[in-house]
Amino acid sequence: MSASPADLVREFHRAFGLEARGTPTEVSPELAAHRGELLAEEAAEVAEVAVHGPLDRLAHELADVVYVAYGTALVHGIDLDAVIAEIHRSNMTKRGPDGRISRRFDGKVLKGDHYEAPDVSRVLRRQGWTPAAEA
Ligand SMILES: [Mg+2]
């Protein structure tokens, strides 16, 4: 892909007159609920095809989830790439310095002793967010 999902979704929002913000902002409850519903619809479509496919439909619905998630971030003025980088940084600390990885019975990677939780609040503050309690 030549452009990041964030760039593609920003182009879509501009082309169709959808809301887009440049700084993390709490939006109206109506808009926030609408975005949540859109994302829930797409997540439900993933669940429908997750087990029995077909694979092209699964790929389609996964992409819809990501696209709508990026759009929701844009509506709220969140740079989602930066948040994903922070989640990734945190996830990588699940492996200890000795390289040991502990897993749950189903294969899920567990948090080790050196795990560092993501600090999403710090990421949003760097983007210019002031939590409502501090405003
Ligand atoms: Mg869909």
Side-chain angles (χ1 to χ4, degrees), residues 14-133:
R14 282 201 186 122
F16 289 88
L18 300 173
E19 297 204 32
R21 292 176 177 78
T23 305
T25 310
E26 278 77 10
V27 302
S28 72
E30 293 76 20
L31 179 57
H34 171 63
R35 296 304 312 187
E37 284 157 16
L38 291 178
L39 196 50
E41 281 173 25
E42 298 301 347
E45 288 171 4
V46 168
E48 276 173 27
V49 296
V51 176
H52 299 294
L55 197 57
D56 60 340
R57 179 85 199 285
L58 176 61
H60 181 153
E61 301 308 344
L62 286 172
D64 281 351
V65 165
V66 172
Y67 205 94
V68 172
Y70 268 91
T72 300
L74 182 60
V75 163
H76 287 85
I78 295 165
D79 174 357
L80 196 59
D81 287 340
V83 179
I84 290 172
E86 172 62 5
I87 299 296
H88 176 64
R89 183 201 63 75
S90 165
N91 281 341
M92 292 304 285
T93 67
K94 290 178 178 176
R95 184 174 57 196
D98 58 356
R100 242 173 42 92
I101 299 168
S102 44
R103 291 180 196 277
R104 199 168 68 183
F105 66 93
D106 62 357
K108 180 179 177 176
V109 174
L110 297 175
K111 296 161 187 162
D113 295 339
H114 300 271
Y115 172 72
E116 292 173 31
D119 190 345
V120 175
S121 174
R122 187 182 58 196
V123 173
L124 291 195
R125 285 166 193 266
R126 272 197 212 124
Q127 296 175 17
W129 180 55
T130 305

